[in-house]
Amino acid sequence: MPLLAVAFGLIVGAVLIVVSGDNPLVAYRAMLEGSLGGSDAIGRTLEKATPLVLGGLAVAFAFKAGLFNIGGQGQLLLGAAFSAWVGFNFDLPAVIHIPAALIVGGLAAAILGGLAGLLKATRGVHEVISTIMLNFVAANFTEWMVSRDGPWKDPEGGAIARTPLVQDSADLPRIAGLPTGFLVAVLAAVSIWWLVNRSTLGFEVKTVGSNPKAAAYAGISVTRIIVITMGISAFLAGLGGAIQTLGVNGRFEPGFQTGLGFDGITIALLARTNALAVIPAALLIGAMDAGSTLMQARTNVEPEVINVIQAMILFFVAAPSVVRWILQLSEAEDVDTGVDLATGWGTT
Amino acid sequence: MTASAPPLTRSASNLNSYVARNAKALAGLGVVVVALIVAYRWDGTQTTAVMARTVREAAPLILAALCGLVGERSGIINIGIEGQLLLSAFCGFMVGSYSGSIILAVVAALAVAGLAGTFLAWTSIRLRMDQIIAGTVINIFAIGATSFFYVPNRTMATIPTVSLGFLSDVPLVGPMLFDHGPLTYAALVAVAVVHVALFETRWGLRTRAVGEHPSAADTVGVDIFRLRYLNLTLAGMLAGLGGMALIQSAGVFNRGMSNGKGFIALAVMLIGRYRPTGVLAAALLFGFFNALQAQLQFKQVFDIPPQFFGMIPFVLTIAVLAIAGISVRPPAAVGKHYEKE
């Protein structure tokens, strides 16, 4: 079924490409080549997919506790900025420097997310409100840090707002041609899967998510779980920003990856909030992203067409009945769409 | 004498109970009015500029938040408002730009945002799709489609402001309320219309019933699905007006120009506790912080980096909520699929 959804999404995209006067076969061929043709292309796909895995995990994990973290973008920015700071400001051996930079980036984001959790648990401030607002706060804050008067401004950058390049010892290397960052992201996905399905904390998180009153009655501290969940969720998003900084960009520049936090929502939904399913979902979106550059170079198709394709894939994944109707398949057993995200809305 | 006495007492007690029910809101309103008078006496020009901008900034948020409110009151979560704003701003702009007609532009904006609302209702009712997913589909689609069909370097005629005669000459209040673009008036009128419709009409009663207790509404013969289709479409049109409000003064469309306003509108709806008057207050509050920030920065009153001014509206909104400790109770049936018996 998911493969059919992808196929239908591509068909809709093809229609758009035809409308704009290009050949969809040429365009998709270029997209495929740019994402999977050769080791460079695959490396690019993995690089693009890495923050998507972590952004998707962030949203998916928060959903388990019935929390909607729309703050991925701000958390990612904090993670990126703080990891860049550790990266350029300290001289450490790589074995310490890289993990330190990743963890500091993640923790900075976790504080922001934990704050949203604390506001929710103690003051009843809806996490959708606080995380949206904190996105703008984080964007302004990180922009200032590297602006003309900011403390982390690159002295050699002239008028450009950015941090200096991180030291070589903080540079995320490739292991056997694979970006290390992607391996970290996969590790994070497996850890979250374990946490959710095998640990006591995960059980408590899910209990709070399904029925906070029952959870409190059973002796679970709902406040604690909400703060921890938001903290972990934000840590993941921040880690995504940190990996992007250390492994790809080499420094922090404000406003990079705008919209990435929202891609996290898409991926979490595509994966039906399953931590392991986040990986293929992110790879799919990452491959399209990586391939869109070559597609634009060869055919003048605007790369944003992939957003339309993604929207259609998400739609078809969530609406199996439409796929069955188009293909005139028999109404087999109604597949459970897996998640009931909407019912978590607004619970305090 | 005796004949006229009962109605008199009744209206008096009506007034009393109205005051009692809305004591906090009225007290808040009083404080705002006093603060405005003091500020105006202190610096008339600046106060007028800030307050006029407050209303202008609030308008798209009001319309977008009312869109979310009508949807949720009918039992359907709409996180696709951001996409509706973007789609309607884009379509309104393109139609306005090529046809030269503002009327056609507004029609196009209403149509596309209304259609997105219908889509949301359809996915929820017919496909039983999760409403968060459906809203996200709208958002991503809007980003993609509006960028894909984007034509650089086009402009459209700006929509002229309409000064309401002598009213616009009243100090402070005139520029604040009676000297705006038509869509800003539309936002203010929409608050009143939605409020009256929601709480004083049969449609409103049914809508609230469908959002709170659909099976009860079903029992008394309300066609739940029809009402949800209707309401989500109408609500989408409110967002369509909001999209037009985004482009009314500048006459240009930029990629991603909704810039999170649809999500801020969700916050405004929640802060306003699903009430149109609450939405008005929350949007004005947010608009005020924004206007204040812009004015302080413009006048360079303090030597503070612009980014810190940029944070003010967001930090203050969180602070206000944390201090007021406002918790929100959404309509009971929101987000749930309804099964007909």
Side-chain angles (χ1 to χ4, degrees):
Chain A
M1 218 32 134
L3 289 180
L4 283 175
V6 173
F8 282 9
L10 289 173
I11 291 171
V12 174
V15 172
L16 278 188
I17 293 171
V18 170
V19 168
S20 70
D22 277 293
N23 184 341
L25 291 178
V26 177
Y28 284 158
R29 204 197 139 93
M31 194 196 275
L32 199 64
E33 227 175 281
S35 58
L36 297 172
S39 57
D40 274 5
I42 292 175
R44 222 169 19 245
T45 294
L46 295 181
E47 268 173 14
K48 296 271 187 195
T50 303
L52 295 172
V53 170
L54 290 158
L57 282 177
V59 177
F61 182 68
F63 268 139
K64 295 289 179 198
L67 297 166
F68 195 8
N69 178 10
I70 322 194
Q73 179 63 30
Q75 294 150 11
L76 177 134
L77 286 175
L78 273 195
F82 276 82
S83 69
W85 170 67
V86 174
F88 75 75
N89 199 41
F90 296 94
D91 247 332
L92 296 164
V95 277
I96 304 172
H97 206 173
I98 293 170
L102 291 178
I103 289 170
V104 169
L107 284 180
I111 291 170
L112 193 72
L115 176 67
L118 197 66
L119 285 167
K120 163 127 187 164
T122 60
R123 305 297 308 159
V125 181
H126 202 295
E127 79 278 8
V128 167
I129 302 179
S130 59
T131 52
I132 291 169
M133 300 291 157
L134 290 174
N135 274 345
F136 291 91
V137 174
N140 276 300
F141 175 74
T142 51
E143 191 185 312
W144 172 73
M145 293 299 275
V146 298
S147 69
R148 190 163 41 89
D149 309 317
W152 295 350
K153 167 89 175 77
D154 179 11
E156 290 158 24
I160 308 167
R162 64 181 193 197
T163 64
L165 278 172
V166 299
Q167 316 259 357
D168 287 345
S169 56
D171 209 25
L172 264 179
R174 285 177 172 237
I175 298 174
L178 287 176
T180 319
F182 185 73
L183 301 178
V184 174
V186 170
L187 195 67
V190 174
S191 311
I192 292 297
W193 181 86
W194 180 86
L195 185 72
V196 168
N197 295 300
R198 293 284 183 270
S199 74
T200 315
L201 179 63
F203 175 76
E204 291 178 334
V205 166
K206 283 185 289 186
T207 311
V208 168
S210 56
N211 191 339
K213 282 198 187 108
Y217 190 71
I220 297 172
S221 163
V222 177
T223 303
R224 190 182 126 248
I225 294 297
I226 288 179
V227 174
I228 290 178
T229 305
M230 284 305 289
I232 292 177
S233 168
F235 182 92
L236 293 163
L239 191 60
I243 291 175
Q244 184 73 17
T245 299
L246 302 181
V248 182
N249 300 354
R251 56 156 54 100
F252 175 78
E253 287 181 83
F256 89 107
Q257 301 281 9
T258 327
L260 201 131
F262 295 117
D263 287 343
I265 301 175
T266 313
I267 285 157
L269 297 177
L270 273 179
R272 292 174 182 170
T273 75
N274 178 317
L276 294 180
V278 161
I279 298 171
L283 280 172
L284 175 70
I285 307 285
M288 287 184 174
D289 218 358
S292 65
T293 322
L294 190 63
M295 179 181 72
Q296 189 184 23
R298 288 224 187 125
T299 60
N300 292 320
V301 174
E302 296 285 336
E304 284 86 358
V305 74
I306 65 170
N307 282 315
V308 177
I309 299 173
Q310 285 161 16
M312 296 326 288
I313 293 174
L314 184 58
F315 169 75
F316 287 119
V317 163
S321 57
V322 174
V323 176
R324 276 200 302 271
W325 177 78
I326 294 175
L327 296 177
Q328 294 293 313
L329 294 178
S330 58
E331 281 287 320
E333 80 283 14
D334 207 8
V335 189
D336 185 12
T337 41
V339 271
D340 240 351
L341 312 166
T343 43
W345 179 253
T347 47
T348 29
Chain B
M1 276 308 274
T2 44
S4 64
L8 261 179
T9 37
R10 206 171 72 203
S11 75
S13 76
N14 266 352
L15 185 65
N16 276 338
S17 76
Y18 179 81
V19 170
R21 267 186 293 127
N22 297 289
K24 271 187 189 168
L26 290 172
L29 193 64
V31 171
V32 169
V33 170
V34 171
L36 272 181
I37 293 170
V38 172
Y40 186 76
R41 292 299 300 259
W42 176 52
D43 189 336
T45 330
Q46 304 258 13
T47 306
T48 307
V50 168
M51 291 320 291
R53 189 174 179 137
T54 295
V55 176
R56 205 165 60 233
E57 298 248 358
L61 288 180
I62 291 172
L63 289 161
L66 286 176
C67 166
L69 182 148
V70 171
E72 293 215 16
R73 282 284 190 171
S74 328
I76 294 184
I77 301 168
N78 184 356
I79 72 158
I81 306 172
E82 176 82 2
Q84 288 176 308
L85 285 178
L86 199 55
L87 282 173
S88 54
F90 178 73
C91 290
F93 171 75
M94 289 303 268
V95 169
S97 164
Y98 281 99
S99 74
S101 159
I102 287 166
I103 302 288
L104 282 181
V106 172
V107 170
L110 291 186
V112 68
L115 198 64
T118 317
F119 170 82
L120 197 61
W122 175 68
T123 55
S124 163
I125 294 166
R126 276 298 296 280
L127 307 181
R128 309 178 45 73
M129 191 188 283
D130 189 283
Q131 291 159 12
I132 300 276
I133 297 187
T136 306
V137 167
I138 294 176
N139 287 336
I140 314 170
F141 177 83
I143 294 172
T146 57
S147 304
F148 186 75
F149 291 112
Y150 175 75
V151 182
N153 305 322
R154 282 203 74 88
T155 51
M156 71 178 268
T158 55
I159 304 176
T161 57
V162 182
S163 302
L164 298 184
F166 71 92
L167 284 173
S168 62
D169 298 330
V170 180
L172 185 59
V173 179
M176 206 174 132
L177 293 178
F178 304 115
D179 188 17
H180 284 293
L183 289 149
T184 309
Y185 296 123
L188 299 175
V189 172
V191 171
V193 169
V194 175
H195 179 84
V196 170
L198 203 55
F199 297 113
E200 309 289 343
T201 69
R202 201 173 65 153
W203 170 84
L205 183 64
R206 290 181 165 192
T207 295
R208 285 180 290 137
V210 164
E212 291 287 347
H213 206 319
S215 60
D218 198 4
T219 311
V220 296
V222 178
D223 187 339
I224 294 169
F225 295 153
R226 222 188 80 182
L227 193 61
R228 284 186 174 169
Y229 271 116
L230 175 72
N231 287 2
L232 267 290
T233 308
L234 291 175
M237 290 179 176
L238 287 170
L241 288 176
M244 283 306 290
L246 289 180
I247 58 171
Q248 74 172 347
S249 55
V252 289
F253 176 86
N254 300 315
R255 290 184 194 210
M257 75 181 297
S258 49
N259 194 20
K261 286 205 170 58
F263 290 102
I264 295 173
L266 276 182
V268 165
M269 173 193 76
L270 292 167
I271 298 169
R273 293 178 165 187
Y274 297 98
R275 299 177 70 91
T277 45
V279 161
L280 175 68
L284 285 174
L285 187 71
F286 198 81
F288 172 72
F289 291 150
N290 246 328
L292 190 68
Q293 175 262 118
Q295 191 73 7
L296 289 175
Q297 197 174 320
F298 176 66
K299 291 281 172 192
Q300 301 195 317
V301 182
F302 307 106
D303 186 23
I304 297 175
Q307 290 87 358
F308 281 86
F309 281 117
M311 283 185 214
I312 291 174
F314 307 101
V315 172
L316 283 184
T317 305
I318 295 178
V320 165
L321 287 179
I323 292 162
I326 296 175
S327 63
V328 199
R329 191 192 68 82
V334 91
K336 298 187 181 106
H337 296 294
Y338 182 68
E339 301 279 358
K340 264 209 161 100
E341 302 287 310

